[in-house]
Amino acid sequence: RRLLHWAFIASYVMLMVSFHTGPSNDALILSLGLPYKLALPAELILGGAFIVLSAVAFARLNRSSASAHLNQSSGSGPLLPALILLFSQFLWFVLPTLFQLLSGMHIPQTRYSSGILAVLHSTQYLWITSYYARREAKASGAANWSMSAYFVTLVAGGVALFICGPWLVSYAFRFDFTVSFLIFTALVNIHHFILDGAVWKLRDTRVASLLIEPGARTPEAGETGQGVIAATRWLAGRSPAARALRVALAAVLLLWGALDVVHYVLVTDSGNLTSLLRAARLDPYDSSLQLRIARVDLQTGDVAKALGAMRRAVAANPQNPIPQQALGRALVEQRRWGEAYDQYQKMLTLFPRDPDALVTFGILAQQKGQTTRAMEVWQQAVQIDPGQANAHLYLAEGFDQQGDPASAIPHYEAYLQTAAAHPPNQRDVQTEGQRENQRPDQREVERASPQQIITVAVKLADDLAQVNQRPLALKAYESTLALAEQAGDKSLQGLVLAHLADLQDKTGDIAAAAQSYQRGLALDQALADRKAEASDWFNYGQFLLRRGQSAEVALACFLQAESLLDSNPGPQLETARKAREQTEKVLGEKALSVRNDLSRFLAKAMSLTFVETR
């Protein structure tokens, strides 16, 4: 008995460890967050303990049966009750964990605990209680006891407890239907456990003889109590009126159950707005249903109705972050900045540790000119969840704007590390139900494109150069250039080469700087990007003048830059024109020869070589 007892405990703990592995994927479920590296061996040990303890226990039971001189022809008959209980325990608690370990699929706690496990437990429980119900009915002289009538009674009672009750609670108190169902289920279970504690003890005559004194008299009930007892006895009696009332009540409950099935079918038809609206008329206080209605309204372009449905979902269950997040995102997508700011501000009073809400609120605060406030909430977001890549990026850019590259560097690095851990080609696939029930801080990580990663990497290298970490900056530029080449993006290759050339020039590596400028210009010409090419020609000309090269070649660079920008007036064109004019003054009459033979001088600029000076 003790071995079986410990086997059962091992199976319970095994499933509990499985449920509490990693973060919860449901806003209504808390998790211990056990790490996978500890949970996996624990589950294997507990599963093995269940098998070993059960095997040893039944081996001893078998020997005990044989030594008690039981009829050998009965085979495993004497062990059958214990075997059935152990097998049901295996199905309920061990098999789900084994399935998860072998398949890699995770069973949601709410789906299993309140769905599969509850049904399996109820089946087992009612199977046992039906035996006692039939035995007591026959002992009281009721020879016409019927299993079918007992089954219908149980179904009607189940409808009354788990369908009518939650509906009434939802309507009476305007609770979210899911929350009211969980509340009512919890109350029924508490009552169930208390009642079990008494009923199962009193069924054992030896326990009953200890708990109830022989000859003890029940205290006299009041008039109200006597009336309730009398009404209950009449309802359970055999009179035609009582029987008719029982049948009518059962019929009403079964019809209510059928209505609940209709409601469920309408809700699950998530793409049919007509079905969803009919379901909402049956129960308007269902936040998940209102979110589905909002999603369909958005798809059809009816933004006003969609926002109304989201607000009803929030009103039905303000403590659920999922509707709050959905409403906030919708307001942002519709560019209702003021309403979105107010919504996220309310959310942060309810969920101050929601990193996604903090990030979005920071963006909205920055739009309102509240830069300091934005930086503060982004700092909070990365403290709560260091994997918030966008918050790191916003902080880095904010520090850059404040002229603090040293503070920006660690945030750029954190962004790139997170982006590397979630490459674009590994996007998670989620079902609609998973997205609805997922916690806001567990939504799919936004994947950064290669172009975004390269752009951020260039900013990181720029900041490293600004804080005089030039060797690290050179490595950063070179690795970023390799990423751009791997991505096949010539425009970004040109951008990286321009920044790399500038740093190489500052470090005195003139030959490498010239080569980088020339490679960038070749890419610009291949892309036909006039603006980028003009910028690179101008910078190359400035580089040539700084390094004491031919002023004629530098003038050719400025003339080419001015020509490329001629159709795009602006500050860049004015800067190129001033540089050209100053160089022409220095050259005097020689400037005319450059104008007359511009292509030759440009070719010379692209073929210039420098002696390594480092």
Side-chain angles (χ1 to χ4, degrees):
R1 185 172 66 244
R2 284 194 294 269
L3 288 171
L4 287 175
H5 180 77
W6 283 107
F8 273 51
I9 290 177
S11 67
Y12 284 128
V13 177
M14 183 181 183
L15 188 66
M16 188 203 74
V17 170
S18 174
F19 278 173
H20 287 278
T21 300
S24 172
N25 60 357
D26 195 309
L28 299 174
I29 296 296
L30 299 178
S31 173
L32 296 177
L34 300 176
Y36 290 94
K37 62 181 180 180
L38 296 180
L40 178 59
E43 291 173 9
L44 294 175
I45 291 171
L46 291 166
F50 174 82
I51 295 172
V52 172
L53 291 169
S54 302
V56 175
F58 276 96
R60 292 187 179 183
L61 279 173
N62 192 42
R63 288 199 299 269
S64 177
S65 299
S67 63
H69 307 290
L70 293 176
N71 184 3
Q72 296 300 317
S73 63
S74 61
S76 60
L79 302 180
L80 188 60
L83 281 170
I84 291 175
L85 288 177
L86 186 70
F87 182 66
S88 65
Q89 185 75 5
F90 172 80
L91 290 179
W92 297 180
F93 296 95
V94 179
L95 185 62
T97 307
L98 291 178
F99 174 77
Q100 178 179 327
L101 292 175
L102 295 175
S103 67
M105 296 177 62
H106 185 69
I107 303 174
Q109 292 96 318
T110 48
R111 303 297 186 273
Y112 187 76
S113 299
S114 63
I116 301 171
L117 184 60
V119 171
L120 296 176
H121 167 69
S122 297
T123 303
Q124 182 183 29
Y125 186 84
L126 296 176
W127 168 49
I128 296 172
T129 56
S130 66
Y131 165 79
Y132 288 100
R134 180 174 57 184
R135 189 180 72 172
E136 291 179 0
K138 290 182 178 179
S140 64
N144 61 342
W145 187 87
S146 170
M147 183 63 189
S148 59
Y150 182 70
F151 177 76
V152 171
T153 303
L154 291 176
V155 172
V159 171
L161 286 176
F162 296 103
I163 295 180
C164 301
W167 276 55
L168 292 174
V169 169
S170 179
Y171 267 95
F173 299 100
R174 296 191 175 186
F175 277 168
D176 183 15
F177 181 74
T178 303
V179 175
S180 65
F181 176 80
L182 293 175
I183 292 172
F184 206 86
T185 301
L187 293 174
V188 169
N189 276 322
I190 292 171
H191 173 266
H192 169 76
F193 297 142
I194 295 173
L195 192 62
D196 271 7
V199 170
W200 286 107
K201 288 181 174 64
L202 294 177
R203 286 184 180 279
D204 189 324
T205 55
R206 291 173 299 176
V207 176
S209 65
L210 294 174
L211 295 178
I212 302 175
E213 295 181 9
R217 299 185 63 185
T218 304
E220 294 294 331
E223 293 183 3
T224 303
Q226 289 178 348
V228 171
I229 293 172
T232 303
R233 288 176 178 173
W234 175 84
L235 184 61
R238 299 182 178 180
S239 66
R243 184 173 299 175
L245 181 58
R246 290 198 300 269
V247 172
L249 287 173
V252 170
L253 291 171
L254 292 175
L255 287 174
W256 200 328
L259 181 64
D260 185 72
V261 172
V262 172
H263 174 264
Y264 176 78
V265 172
L266 292 174
V267 169
T268 53
D269 192 4
S270 57
N272 190 330
L273 183 59
T274 303
S275 297
L276 295 175
L277 292 175
R278 288 175 180 171
R281 283 196 290 270
L282 293 174
D283 183 6
Y285 309 111
D286 188 339
S287 61
S288 62
L289 171 59
Q290 294 295 341
L291 287 181
R292 295 187 181 196
I293 293 173
R295 187 176 298 111
V296 177
D297 283 332
L298 284 176
Q299 291 173 353
T300 58
D302 198 335
V303 176
K305 288 185 178 179
L307 293 176
M310 290 180 187
R311 290 191 172 95
R312 289 192 294 273
V314 170
N317 188 3
Q319 299 300 323
N320 186 354
I322 296 172
Q324 299 270 15
Q325 284 277 4
L327 177 58
R329 287 195 300 271
L331 290 170
V332 170
E333 290 169 0
Q334 298 303 318
R335 299 181 179 275
R336 301 190 178 191
W337 308 123
E339 295 177 65
Y341 180 89
D342 294 339
Q343 169 63 17
Y344 276 96
Q345 197 169 36
K346 292 176 185 176
M347 285 172 56
L348 290 176
T349 60
L350 294 171
F351 318 109
R353 294 185 60 81
D354 183 344
D356 283 341
L358 287 166
V359 173
T360 307
F361 181 71
I363 297 171
L364 296 169
Q366 188 181 50
Q367 286 186 343
K368 293 174 73 70
Q370 301 173 3
T371 304
T372 303
R373 176 62 174 151
M375 296 289 284
E376 288 175 355
V377 295
W378 288 331
Q379 289 278 18
Q380 293 176 36
V382 297
Q383 288 172 3
I384 295 169
D385 181 9
Q388 285 286 333
N390 285 340
H392 282 294
L393 180 58
Y394 300 147
L395 282 168
E397 292 174 343
F399 283 123
D400 273 344
Q401 291 172 2
Q402 295 174 5
D404 188 2
S407 297
I409 287 171
H411 291 291
Y412 279 132
E413 291 174 338
Y415 174 86
L416 292 172
Q417 289 172 0
T418 305
H422 302 87
N425 60 343
Q426 294 183 5
R427 182 174 293 274
D428 297 331
V429 178
Q430 295 176 311
T431 64
E432 179 182 309
Q434 287 173 325
R435 286 192 299 269
E436 284 182 359
N437 293 290
Q438 195 172 33
R439 279 192 342 209
D441 57 341
Q442 298 229 306
R443 290 199 314 271
E444 177 189 1
V445 177
E446 183 180 351
R447 268 56 171 179
S449 67
Q451 290 74 19
Q452 290 174 311
I453 294 173
I454 293 167
T455 303
V456 173
V458 170
K459 293 179 179 179
L460 170 61
D462 289 344
D463 283 352
L464 288 170
Q466 286 189 56
V467 297
N468 292 322
Q469 296 188 31
R470 291 180 175 178
L472 290 177
L474 283 171
K475 291 181 179 179
Y477 282 130
E478 289 167 358
S479 61
T480 305
L481 181 60
L483 286 176
E485 291 172 347
Q486 184 180 358
D489 193 319
K490 293 183 178 180
S491 176
L492 286 175
Q493 290 177 47
L495 173 67
V496 179
L497 284 167
H499 287 253
L500 176 60
D502 181 63
L503 181 59
Q504 289 168 334
D505 180 21
K506 291 177 180 176
T507 58
D509 192 354
I510 302 173
Q515 187 179 17
S516 296
Y517 278 123
Q518 291 165 2
R519 288 175 62 189
L521 286 167
L523 288 170
D524 293 336
Q525 292 169 5
L527 289 170
D529 187 342
R530 295 176 65 88
K531 191 172 182 180
E533 186 180 354
S535 177
D536 288 344
W537 276 116
F538 175 80
N539 291 331
Y540 188 38
Q542 295 277 49
F543 164 76
L544 293 175
L545 288 178
R546 283 195 305 271
R547 293 305 174 182
Q549 295 301 308
S550 168
E552 289 94 336
V553 177
L555 176 59
C557 294
F558 296 143
L559 285 168
Q560 182 68 2
E562 186 179 2
S563 173
L564 290 168
L565 292 171
D566 196 36
S567 59
N568 188 19
Q572 283 184 295
L573 177 59
E574 290 301 319
T575 302
R577 181 175 291 126
K578 288 180 181 179
R580 184 259 304 167
E581 291 173 351
Q582 291 173 356
T583 309
E584 284 181 332
K585 288 180 180 179
V586 172
L587 288 173
E589 295 180 356
K590 293 181 181 180
L592 184 60
S593 63
V594 176
R595 283 183 174 274
N596 293 334
D597 200 3
L598 181 60
S599 59
R600 183 174 67 85
F601 280 96
L602 290 176
K604 183 178 180 181
M606 291 294 290
S607 62
L608 281 175
T609 58
F610 293 79
V611 178
E612 179 67 47
T613 59
R614 287 192 305 171

